[in-house]
Amino acid sequence: MIPNDYSDVTQQVSTGSLPAKTRVEELLQDAYERYVDVDDGMLAYYIPILGEVDPSLFALSLSNVGGTVQGVGDVGQSFSIQSISKMFVYALVLQELGHDTVRDHVGVNNTGMSFNSVMAIELNDGHPMNPMVNAGALATSALMPGLTAAEKWENIREGLSAFAGRYLRMDGEVYRSESRSNERNKALGRLLKAHGQLEGEPLEIVDIYTRQCSLKVTSHDLAIMGATLADGGVNPVTGERVVSADVCRDVLAVVAANGLYEKSGEWLFEIGIPAKSGVSGGIVAIAPGKGAIGAFSPLLDEAGNSVRSQLAIGHLSRALGLNLFASAPQRPEKET
Ligand code: DON
């Protein structure tokens, strides 16, 4: 068991700051221009309506923890949040139920398998493993406070809206398209239920989850939502406290380990910041204490992560000094 009781030690923070606004603008523009012509990857055809999206869309936004939001490209284009919702619902559930309860119910470790793997559940005694894969996200949404499915859903919508700082609406077409084609998620829900690992009625939970995935956002929204987690839980634009600083720390650790599914280790090695992807092409990457990048471009790699969004965030992480593992010696090296 990894120790986790440090309640008598005050949590200190590791912070830094982003370059000035004009420099950030130049770097966003540079990242956009470098990758705007990349057309590798595939649309998410398994949700029919996502197979009809314009693959050339590309947007990059950055929000710092002071609430300044900058962007380049199709920043006004909305798209469904998809799996990125998992990170924010997890934050809301952690806030309500606490670190230990949610860790015990949902887990934190990587599956090493695809986001909708049945095998991952079976290989782990029916456990959902972590909240960023579909099984764990179903288990997490089931824990959302609310006496009825409708109440749970409204609490999720309200909570995600507080992260964005504006009322988020569902994309009805995406919801209906996914509802007609999500047999696999229904199977995951039933399998978890059979293992005693899901609270409530599986099909109701799958419906709540499908709704949360259909919420419409822009790259600006993603940047602000991410920056709320970078800012100790306070939305930097509205000033509203959405979750506690402890919740942000826990969420970002889980996202670092699992946010890009079976590619999470590789991502952390190359890019060095927690990031969460969704199959409509969004990725949000968070630099604790600094801010967050929201990227959108619909063509995906084989793990379901946007190709251009990964490239652009990788570039920005380096150019803006976001990698959490990067350091330079404080004193000059000794002459030998
Ligand atoms: O459940 C699904 O398959 C989708 N609603 C979300 C999956 C997803 O976004 C995976 N991410 N890259």
Side-chain angles (χ1 to χ4, degrees):
M1 176 76 186
I2 306 275
N4 78 337
D5 183 9
Y6 301 108
S7 48
D8 59 333
V9 187
T10 306
Q11 173 79 66
Q12 300 296 330
V13 296
S14 164
T15 54
S17 54
L18 291 169
K21 200 174 164 189
T22 46
R23 180 71 186 135
V24 170
E25 202 167 301
E26 277 170 19
L27 292 172
L28 283 168
Q29 189 65 40
D30 182 28
Y32 181 86
E33 282 164 17
R34 273 172 193 253
Y35 302 114
V36 68
D37 294 326
V38 174
D39 61 0
D40 300 337
M42 294 255 290
L43 292 170
Y45 293 108
Y46 80 100
I47 300 176
I49 196 139
L50 296 185
E52 294 170 22
V53 171
D54 175 0
S56 73
L57 291 166
F58 186 27
L60 295 174
S61 299
L62 184 146
S63 170
N64 67 21
V65 290
T68 301
V69 188
Q70 296 168 261
V72 59
D74 300 306
V75 294
Q77 175 69 41
S78 55
F79 51 92
S80 51
I81 188 167
Q82 296 298 339
S83 281
I84 300 172
S85 65
K86 292 166 174 165
M87 160 161 94
F88 298 104
V89 174
Y90 181 58
L92 298 170
V93 168
L94 264 179
Q95 180 67 39
E96 291 297 326
L97 302 184
H99 178 107
D100 291 358
T101 305
V102 183
R103 183 202 51 212
D104 294 348
H105 270 81
V106 189
V108 296
N109 285 322
N110 198 288
T111 65
M113 292 181 191
S114 62
F115 64 83
N116 55 9
S117 174
V118 169
M119 205 144 66
I121 302 179
E122 289 294 285
L123 288 174
N124 290 287
D125 280 340
H127 198 273
M129 292 304 286
N130 76 69
M132 301 302 138
V133 293
N134 291 14
L138 292 172
T140 306
S141 296
L143 295 176
M144 192 70 197
L147 292 177
T148 60
E151 253 180 56
K152 283 179 192 286
W153 158 236
E154 262 321 307
N155 287 335
I156 288 176
R157 187 213 289 263
E158 261 178 39
L160 265 61
S161 296
F163 273 108
R166 71 179 185 98
Y167 187 74
L168 297 179
R169 293 177 192 283
M170 229 173 72
D171 184 324
E173 274 194 316
V174 170
Y175 167 68
R176 285 187 291 278
S177 182
E178 182 163 350
S179 295
R180 282 195 292 266
S181 55
N182 63 354
E183 295 307 326
R184 198 174 175 96
N185 285 342
K186 290 176 184 158
L188 292 175
R190 288 194 158 125
L191 189 57
L192 287 176
K193 188 73 186 177
H195 282 288
Q197 297 280 5
L198 191 76
E199 305 275 338
E201 165 54 42
L203 296 188
E204 267 183 19
I205 306 300
V206 171
D207 183 61
I208 294 171
Y209 165 80
T210 309
R211 287 172 187 272
Q212 79 186 48
C213 288
S214 311
L215 284 171
K216 272 195 291 193
V217 290
T218 64
S219 60
H220 266 30
D221 290 325
L222 289 184
I224 295 168
M225 295 172 88
T228 303
L229 292 173
D231 190 31
V234 173
N235 181 313
V237 175
T238 63
E240 184 189 349
R241 172 164 295 285
V242 185
V243 291
S244 72
D246 283 356
V247 163
C248 295
R249 183 203 56 216
D250 291 350
V251 170
L252 294 182
V254 172
V255 169
N258 307 295
L260 296 198
Y261 311 111
E262 65 273 33
K263 296 282 185 75
S264 302
E266 212 174 309
W267 172 267
L268 212 52
F269 181 66
E270 302 292 352
I271 315 298
I273 39 172
K276 182 75 206 85
S277 65
V279 281
S280 55
I283 299 187
V284 58
I286 294 110
K290 295 181 179 171
I293 301 166
F296 168 61
S297 191
L299 294 174
L300 310 174
D301 69 10
E302 64 286 359
N305 304 317
S306 165
V307 174
R308 281 200 292 199
S309 299
Q310 289 182 76
L311 289 167
I313 292 171
H315 175 72
L316 287 168
S317 169
R318 213 175 167 91
L320 290 164
L322 306 182
N323 190 319
L324 296 173
F325 307 106
S327 62
Q330 205 170 16
R331 289 188 297 165
E333 274 174 61
K334 257 199 226 158
E335 300 277 341
T336 48

